[in-house]
Every structure is written in C-alpha cells, then in structure tokens.
C-alpha cells in the first residue's frame, strides 16, 4: 500500500489477564472507508481507543501518518471520534457543540462560516440554537459527526455510530454516511458487529475475533473467500463440509431426486420476504441451510413442508476451500 | 394491585387523622411563634392586633444586628471554603481509586452522624491544645470542618450519574484536562455544587450547639443571641427574629431542592 495513513504494528492490550487486543497488525490507506467487524467483546472498541489515545498499548506501535504516536495524549492526536452514544455536551447548543474543538485548532480561521457550512453539510441548518435533548437520534448522530469533521482529522473513528438507531433510519444514515465520506475524503474507521452494515459501507474490512484480526480484505474477498471458519460463519457461510464451505444462497433445493444431490428432509422453512430460509437435515445427520429467492409463483419446491424429502445441489465453483 | 389499593382506601380515614395529628404536633408551635410575632400585645398568650412593631424593634436592636452580621460572615466564609474543599473531595472520591478510599469515605460520613455535642467538645479541646484563642475565626473553622462532608457527599452523588464519555469527547476534540474540567465537568456538576453550598449556608446560619462551644467573646452569632434572649423570657421580638430565620432557612432549602431536582 503506497499511501498509509494509519499503521498498527503488533499492537497488544491486556486488561488484567484478558487480552482485549492481541497482536493486531493493520495498514489503512488514506481516504479509505475501513470497517472493524466482529462480535461483542472481540476488542473493536479497545482498538479504536488505542488509536484515539484513550488507552496505551502494552506492546506494539501505532503509527499515524508516519509518526509513532506513543505517549501523545488524546487531545493532541489528529484523530477524532464519533462515540456510540454520541456524547454530545448537554449544556451546549448544537452550534457550540460543533464549535467545541475549533478553539484548540489555531490554524482554522473564519469559524462562524465554518460552523454554518458544516451544519449545512450534515443537513442541520437552522438547528444551531437547539440543545441536544431537543434533537432526534439521527440529528444527534449528525451533530456528533459535524463536531468531529469540522476539525479535519486525519482519521475519523466511529464506534458503532448507528447501533442506537431504528432499522429504517439506520439504512438512511448508512447511505448518508457513505456519501459524506466520499465528499470529505477523510479516512473513516468504522466499528460494527453487523456484517451487512460493514459490507454496505466499507471499502475494506478487518474481521476480529478474541482480540485478533482473523482476516483483512475487500468486502468482496471477505464475503466470497473467507480464510477461516470463524470469518465464514460470521459472514453467514454456514454450510461446512470436509475442506470447504458453501454459502446458503448458493445452494438449490429440488423436490425430486437429482444427480449428485445430497438427500435430506426439510426440518423447517422460514419465509423472509425476498427469500425463504430452509433448514435441511441431510441423510448423514448434517444440518444444511439453504436460502432460495422467492419469485411469487408457487412451485414444487416452495410447496415442500417440514418432514418432506428434498434434494440439495450446488456448483463446485461455489465451494470455498477451508481447513 | 387492585386488592391492595382497596385495603388502603379502608385505612385511609384513620391514616389521614394520624397524619394531621403529627403535622399539628410538629407545626403548631411554629405557627404560634409566627402568628405572635405579629401580635401587638406584649403578653404573648393573648392575641390583640396585627402589627409589624416587633420587626421594627428588631432592626433597631444593636445586639441582634451585631449577631446577624457575625452569622453572615461565618456563613459566607464557611460556605465558600467548605464548598471548594468539599467539591474537590467529592471529585477525588468519585473519580480516583486510591489507597484508603474506603476509610476516607467513612471518615467523610462521620461528621454527618456524630452528635454535634461531641464535635463541639472535640473542637474546643483541639483549639485549647493548639493554644488558639476562641474568636469568630474559631467559629468559622468549626463550621468549615462540619460542612465539608455535606458538600463532598452531594457532589459525589451528582458525579455518580455522570457520563464519562463526555469528558473523553472533550479531550478527543482537543481540550486538555484542565480545559475539559472547566468547559464540561464543572458546568455539569454546578447544580450539585450549588445545592451543597446552600445546604452548608443553612446549616451554618442555624447552628447552635457547636458554635456555643467555640465562640469567643464578641463572636455571638444569631442562634446564640436568640438563646440568650430566651433565657430572660420569650418576647415578641424573639418570635420575630425566629420567624425571619425560619423564612430564610426554608427559602434556602427550597432553592437547594430545586437545584438538585429541577422540574422538567
Ligand atoms: N477498561 C476495561 N477494563 C477491563 N476490561 C476491559 C476494559 N475495556 C474492555 N475490556 C475487555 O476487553 C475485551 C474487549 O472489549 P471491547 O470493548 O474492546 O469489545 P468490543 O468489540 O468493542 O465489544 P462490543 O461490541 O460489545 O462493544 C472485553 O472482554 C472487555 O470485557
Ligand atoms: Mg465496543
């Protein structure tokens, strides 16, 4: 990678005996939208806090734009954070929240117009005089973004910023966030435990488990070519065989015997709108998950019920090798 | 639920009667005191006409004027000093882990529960031990000593619900520890600090027992003055000054309550 903005080098952080971050090495490119994906407790927040300067690594290096930031306090690091629960200052207006960091940045002039422009950018124009408790969740989220972006950080750290929003608003904010990142061109490191959100937003993803990075790659690589069982499982590729894994939506169901098919019985079916999710108990006892598109026209397969015999096929090219 | 509510309704008349009796017992003497402070008859037992004469006498009484001045000096100085020290103690207790924290906590609670007579006796022997002459200064020191705990406890309670990520956010945006404290922490705990200060002022203005131990000559505060006047018989003047003290105290307590639980 030629233009690295952030490099983590064998970073370690333990709390007592538990390793929260364990030997993490990562390189993040300037202007990239990078997602840290993993289950609860895997060390995502701790990793962000190490970059922000709220925690000091026990070992390893954090190199920001070519400078080792060991010992540099949080307030002197050119990174900013969007906190999970926004952490807006309740005693200050929206405009004052957004302006909060400006006075510590001597190089930024013309503050009033900066603030107005930033409020416009996050679509909060006219709300500058409100207090945070007079805002909706989505609006608070935007204030938190504006407050950080106005300082032009080298890296913006976002810790599950959309987790507290309802599904519809969340989808809207995802689109908005992606557009905003393109527009300002700032490097975003986005923490989430939602694989779909990571895929929608990020250019590249690091999947974490138990403090370690299991795989780093483009969203497509992570989704289509997982390296480890954990990553495959976390990305929803749950049909494990000896030496390979197959994604549920790559498998087909048949109501009659088919050459090369695995025979089994329907265990359950769950209608999910666009798709139906089937659980099939194969003759050897293995449980297979198959996701079929719904086309609205009933056929032999869609009429199958739990207990019915069924045949499952897939193509060799969809087998992802796995130890 | 329903059953419980019903049985409470059955008990309601009795409960109400007892409640009123308790209130009457508590407040009748105070009501009498207030009413008779407006009585034109010096004979305290008989009501005659409404008058503000006793308040006029009061404002011309030099001894009382002197005592009020002393009380205000003690109250203001003790409040300022105890609030600053108590706030720092409250912050340290809420924020930092240090050796002897539990012991410090217990020691802070002590002045709140130790009988005042013990505190007074202890202080007077301490002042004797360090050969400090009793004066208005010793009164101020005594009031500071028993007030710090109250402020520390109120501030600590206020900080218990404080969202630490607000301080991290301030640091993240470039503020150092000092700037974070003044721009974020302090504005958010100010209602608690003010409530503590009002409480301390109220305690100081009202205190009799401890003050009586440590007050030197010429350091007579208002409660001491009232007590010495009562010894020669309750006069309408005493009713009047007590009524004023009562009004000030209720006002301060109400203000402190509002600061702690602002109406939404
Ligand atoms: N200050 C701390 N003291 C002790 N243990 C901690 C501390 N912070 C984190 N941990 C532990 O470190 C591990 C990683 O925590 P972290 O908060 O980084 O996880 P996370 O991936 O952000 O999880 P979540 O998705 O639930 O936010 C957890 O086991 C957690 O209990
Ligand atoms: Mg977290």
């Amino acid at each position: 990678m030629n233009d690295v903005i952030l490099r983590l080098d064998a970073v370690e952080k333990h709390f007592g005996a538990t390793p929260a971050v364990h030997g993490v090495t990562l390189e993040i490119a300037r202007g990239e939208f990078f997602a840290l994906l993993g289950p609860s407790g895997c060390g995502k927040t701790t990793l962000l806090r190490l970059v922000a300067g709220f925690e000091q690594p026990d070992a390893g290096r954090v190199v920001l734009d070519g400078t080792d930031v060991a010992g540099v306090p949080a307030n002197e690091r050119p990174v900013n954070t969007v906190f999970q629960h926004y952490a807006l200052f309740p005693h200050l207006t929206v405009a004052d929240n957004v302006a909060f960091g400006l006075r510590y940045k001597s190089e930024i002039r013309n503050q009033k117009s900066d603030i107005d422009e930033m409020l416009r950018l996050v679509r909060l124009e006219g709300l500058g005089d409100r207090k945070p408790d007079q805002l909706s969740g989505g609006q608070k989220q935007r204030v938190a973004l504006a407050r950080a972006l106005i300082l032009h950080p080298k890296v913006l750290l976002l810790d599950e910023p959309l987790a507290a929003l309802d599904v519809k608003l969340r989808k809207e904010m995802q689109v908005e966030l992606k557009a905003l990142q393109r527009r300002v061109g700032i490097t975003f490191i986005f923490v989430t435990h939602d694989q779909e959100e990571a895929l929608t937003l990020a250019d590249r993803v690091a999947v974490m488990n138990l403090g370690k990075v299991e795989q780093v790659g483009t969203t497509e690589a992570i989704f289509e070519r997982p390296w480890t069982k954990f990553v495959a499982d976390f990305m929803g590729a749950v049909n494990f065989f000896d030496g390979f894994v197959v994604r549920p939506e790559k498998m087909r169901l048949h109501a009659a015997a088919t050459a090369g098919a695995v025979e089994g019985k329907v265990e359950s079916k769950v209608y999910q709108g666009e798709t139906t999710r089937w659980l099939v108990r194969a003759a050897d006892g293995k449980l297979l998950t198959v996701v079929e598109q719904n086309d609205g026209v009933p056929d032999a397969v869609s009429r199958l019920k739990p207990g019915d015999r069924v045949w499952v096929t897939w193509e060799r090219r969809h087998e992802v090798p796995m130890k | 639920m329903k059953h419980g509510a019903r049985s409470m309704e059955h008990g309601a008349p009795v409960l109400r009667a007892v409640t009123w009796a308790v209130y009457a017992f508590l407040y009748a003497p105070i009501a009498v005191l207030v009413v008779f402070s407006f009585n034109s008859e010096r004979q305290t037992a008989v009501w005659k006409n409404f008058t503000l004469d006793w308040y006029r006498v009061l404002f011309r009484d030099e001894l009382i004027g002197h005592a009020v001045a002393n009380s205000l000096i003690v109250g203001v100085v003790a409040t300022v000093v105890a609030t600053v020290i108590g706030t720092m103690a409250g912050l340290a207790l809420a924020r930092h882990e240090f050796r002897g924290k539990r012991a410090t906590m217990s020691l802070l609670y002590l002045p709140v529960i130790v009988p005042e007579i013990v505190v007074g006796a202890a202080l007077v022997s301490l002042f004797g031990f360090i050969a400090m002459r009793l004066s208005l200064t010793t009164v101020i020191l005594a009031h500071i000593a028993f007030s710090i705990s109250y402020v520390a406890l109120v501030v600590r309670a206020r900080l218990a619900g404080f969202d630490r990520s607000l301080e991290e956010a301030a640091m993240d945006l470039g503020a150092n520890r000092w700037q974070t404290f003044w721009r974020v922490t302090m504005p958010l705990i100010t209602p608690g600090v003010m409530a503590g200060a009002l409480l301390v002022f109220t305690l100081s203005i009202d205190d009799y027992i401890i003050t009586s131990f440590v007050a030197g000559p010429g350091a007579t505060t208002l409660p001491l003055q009232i007590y010495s006047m009562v010894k020669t018989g309750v006069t309408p003047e005493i009713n009047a000054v007590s009524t004023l003290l009562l009004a000030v105290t209720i006002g301060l307590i109400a203000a402190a309550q509002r600061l702690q639980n602002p109406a939404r």
Side-chain angles (χ1 to χ4, degrees):
Chain A
M1 219 178 296
N2 42 22
D3 198 3
V4 174
I5 188 90
L6 177 69
R7 189 150 57 81
L8 301 177
D9 203 356
V11 172
E12 263 330 294
K13 181 71 190 178
H14 293 241
F15 293 107
T18 24
V21 167
H22 191 38
V24 168
T25 297
L26 273 180
E27 283 191 341
I28 292 163
R30 196 183 300 275
E32 191 171 29
F33 202 132
F34 193 90
L36 284 174
L37 175 65
S40 183
C42 72
K44 308 179 296 287
T45 297
T46 306
L47 200 59
L48 278 201
R49 291 172 62 82
L50 286 163
V51 176
F54 297 128
E55 307 283 359
Q56 302 302 322
D58 300 330
R61 299 196 312 154
V62 177
V63 181
L64 195 63
D65 204 11
T67 313
D68 188 337
V69 290
V72 178
N75 57 311
E76 288 169 23
R77 293 192 183 190
V79 299
N80 290 112
T81 308
V82 173
F83 292 82
Q84 183 168 349
H85 298 288
Y86 323 123
L88 300 182
F89 306 120
H91 59 299
L92 300 179
T93 62
V94 167
D96 288 340
N97 264 280
V98 174
F100 191 92
L102 283 180
R103 72 165 69 172
Y104 310 114
K105 283 230 154 191
S106 48
E107 70 265 33
I108 296 178
R109 257 171 269 126
N110 208 353
Q111 305 199 342
K112 179 76 179 85
S113 66
D114 265 13
I115 296 165
D116 289 344
E117 195 194 315
M118 189 48 71
L119 288 178
R120 210 166 21 250
L121 184 70
V122 296
R123 304 200 291 111
L124 284 174
E125 55 271 75
L127 298 184
D129 294 330
R130 295 251 188 115
K131 286 286 183 64
D133 63 6
Q134 300 169 313
L135 299 179
S136 71
Q139 289 168 333
K140 285 182 191 164
Q141 189 57 69
R142 293 199 194 97
V143 177
L145 274 166
R147 183 174 76 170
L149 285 175
I150 200 168
L151 303 175
H152 304 297
K154 287 189 173 160
V155 177
L156 184 70
L157 308 169
L158 304 104
D159 193 356
E160 309 213 21
L162 308 182
L165 305 178
D166 64 61
V167 181
K168 189 165 173 295
L169 191 55
R170 202 162 154 176
K171 298 275 182 229
E172 284 171 26
M173 282 299 292
Q174 284 176 2
V175 175
E176 219 172 284
L177 205 59
K178 184 81 187 166
L180 190 64
Q181 194 265 344
R182 291 236 173 85
R183 199 149 155 203
V184 297
I186 289 172
T187 312
F188 277 29
I189 302 181
F190 184 96
V191 160
T192 180
H193 58 247
D194 178 346
Q195 45 114 346
E196 207 180 304
E197 190 165 272
L199 295 177
T200 310
L201 287 170
D203 302 315
R204 288 196 310 143
V205 180
V207 181
M208 290 184 70
N209 182 30
L210 301 173
K212 284 195 273 226
V213 172
E214 294 254 338
Q215 184 173 356
V216 191
T218 62
T219 47
E220 199 213 335
I222 296 279
F223 189 80
E224 301 287 350
R225 295 180 297 282
W227 291 345
T228 66
K229 199 163 182 256
F230 176 82
V231 176
D233 192 42
F234 200 74
M235 301 308 289
V238 289
N239 296 312
F240 291 96
F241 296 91
D242 212 17
F244 65 92
V245 62
V246 184
R247 296 197 60 84
E249 63 275 14
K250 302 279 165 62
M251 292 186 151
R252 293 283 70 83
L253 285 185
H254 307 270
T258 311
V262 171
E263 197 189 331
K265 274 207 173 96
V266 175
E267 185 117 338
S268 70
K269 65 188 268 195
V270 179
Y271 178 76
Q272 296 180 316
E274 290 171 26
T275 56
T276 298
R277 193 174 191 86
W278 300 79
L279 286 183
V280 175
R281 180 73 67 185
D284 65 357
K286 188 195 286 292
L287 199 60
L288 298 178
T289 306
V290 181
V291 172
E292 288 275 11
Q293 288 289 323
N294 292 332
D295 60 5
V297 184
D299 58 15
V301 167
S302 72
R303 276 192 285 263
L304 288 171
K305 307 180 299 297
D308 289 348
R309 284 174 73 194
V310 69
W311 287 262
V312 183
T313 60
W314 63 88
E315 292 175 37
R316 282 295 296 273
R317 64 190 176 98
H318 287 137
E319 294 179 358
V320 180
M322 184 139 306
K323 282 154 270 140
Chain B
M1 280 293 274
K2 216 165 198 168
H3 182 77
R6 178 104 16 106
S7 56
M8 248 172 66
E9 263 161 43
H10 281 309
V14 179
L15 192 63
R16 203 172 304 145
V18 172
T19 309
W20 280 111
V22 171
Y23 277 136
F25 184 72
L26 281 175
Y27 289 107
I30 296 175
V32 169
L33 178 141
V34 172
V35 167
F36 279 91
S37 75
F38 300 106
N39 188 7
S40 63
E41 181 63 52
R42 183 162 262 285
Q43 217 70 48
T44 42
V46 194
W47 173 261
K48 207 165 174 199
N49 288 316
F50 179 87
T51 180
L52 290 174
D53 279 351
W54 307 119
Y55 290 88
R56 274 181 217 113
V57 172
L58 202 62
F59 286 113
R60 270 183 256 117
D61 188 319
E62 266 181 41
L63 280 176
I64 286 186
H66 186 68
V68 167
N70 276 344
S71 274
L72 287 178
I73 292 168
V74 171
V76 170
V77 176
T79 300
V80 171
V81 177
T83 301
V84 172
I85 300 176
T87 300
M88 294 194 292
L91 276 165
L93 285 170
R95 284 308 164 72
H96 300 289
E97 290 307 318
F98 50 87
R99 272 181 54 176
K101 179 167 168 173
R102 285 180 70 98
T104 314
M105 287 283 298
S106 315
L107 285 176
L108 258 187
Y109 275 106
L110 266 183
V112 179
I113 51 174
V114 168
E116 283 192 44
I117 198 118
V118 176
V119 176
L123 281 168
V124 81
S125 55
L126 172 72
F127 290 137
F129 182 70
I130 62 175
M132 190 163 178
R133 274 189 42 216
L134 297 183
S135 63
L136 201 61
T137 311
T138 49
V139 176
I140 291 173
L141 288 176
H143 283 215
I144 291 171
F146 75 71
S147 300
I148 289 173
S149 302
Y150 289 93
V151 181
L153 294 176
V154 172
V155 169
R156 203 182 77 90
R158 179 95 193 166
L159 280 167
F162 193 94
D163 180 3
R164 293 300 297 274
S165 68
L166 292 177
E167 287 167 342
E168 287 191 339
M171 308 255 313
D172 189 72
L173 294 168
N176 62 28
R177 284 182 185 284
W178 187 248
Q179 291 157 338
T180 299
F181 180 77
W182 287 109
R183 279 186 87 189
V184 175
T185 317
M186 201 53 203
L188 292 175
I189 64 168
T190 294
V193 172
M194 292 301 292
L198 287 175
L199 184 61
V200 166
F201 190 75
T202 314
L203 291 173
S204 169
I205 286 285
D206 281 352
D207 183 73
Y208 174 80
I209 299 176
I210 294 173
T211 311
S212 68
F213 276 90
V214 296
T220 306
T221 61
L222 191 55
L224 298 191
Q225 180 63 32
I226 293 174
Y227 186 68
S228 75
M229 286 161 68
V230 170
K231 276 193 276 194
T232 57
V234 179
T235 63
E237 217 181 327
I238 290 173
N239 288 343
V241 71
S242 305
T243 301
L244 286 180
L245 193 53
L246 182 71
V248 170
T249 310
I250 290 174
L252 289 173
I253 294 284
Q257 290 275 341
R258 274 190 79 116
L259 281 170
Q260 283 193 292
N261 312 304
R264 8 223 81 211

